């Protein structure tokens, strides 16, 4: 049953990533924290690893359409490595409840941005 849930979660995350361009972490992190009883830190780390195949598949497919701008993507990718290292240092030094609350604030901001864009359209 655990593998069925993981496959369904992966499919849903892949669909969100491909359809809307959002990371599956919006779905993966809360689900992993709830269903697997993982710590927030472990759920985030697992989500980051699970995003790699989605990002690779999406990049490969979009590059076939000529939609990938490689130079800006390289700059973003290299910059994100430094940001990820900084985020890891902060996340590992924060208490679990603070990290969970910060993730909740991020989700509220994402929801507000989506609502704002839908209202403007």
């Amino acid at each position: 049953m655990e593998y069925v849930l993981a496959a369904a979660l992966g499919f849903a995350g892949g669909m969100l990533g491909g359809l809307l361009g959002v990371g599956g972490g919006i779905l993966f992190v809360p689900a992993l924290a709830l269903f697997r009883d993982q710590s927030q830190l472990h759920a985030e780390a697992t989500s980051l690893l699970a995003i790699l195949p989605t990002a690779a598949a999406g990049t490969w497919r979009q590059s076939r359409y000529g939609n990938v701008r490689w130079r800006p993507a390289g700059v973003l990718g290299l910059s994100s490595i430094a940001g990820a290292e900084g985020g890891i240092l902060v996340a590992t030094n924060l208490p679990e409840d603070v990290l969970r609350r910060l993730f909740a604030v991020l989700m509220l901001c994402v929801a507000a941005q989506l609502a704002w864009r839908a209202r403007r359209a």
Side-chain angles (χ1 to χ4, degrees):
M1 182 62 178
E2 184 176 327
Y3 292 113
V4 172
L5 179 62
L9 186 61
F11 181 79
M15 286 292 291
L16 280 174
L19 182 64
L20 304 175
V22 298
I26 290 173
L27 183 64
F28 292 157
V29 173
L32 287 169
L34 287 174
F35 298 129
R36 295 286 322 264
D37 291 326
Q38 290 186 358
S39 71
Q40 183 71 20
L41 189 61
H42 286 117
E44 290 173 9
T46 303
S47 172
L48 288 171
L49 180 60
I51 295 301
L52 287 175
T54 304
T59 302
W60 173 73
R61 190 73 177 174
Q62 290 296 329
S63 70
R64 293 181 63 200
Y65 296 124
N67 294 332
V68 177
R69 304 294 175 251
W70 291 103
R71 181 163 284 151
V75 171
L76 284 171
L78 291 173
S79 300
S80 68
I81 292 170
E85 288 296 322
I88 290 167
L89 287 173
V90 172
T92 55
N93 289 304
L94 284 176
E96 179 77 18
D97 62 323
V98 173
L99 190 58
R100 192 164 290 187
R101 287 184 181 135
L102 286 173
F103 188 79
V105 168
L106 174 65
M107 293 297 95
L108 289 172
C109 290
V110 169
Q113 181 186 28
L114 287 172
W116 177 259
R117 285 184 179 179
R119 181 179 155 94
R120 290 182 66 200

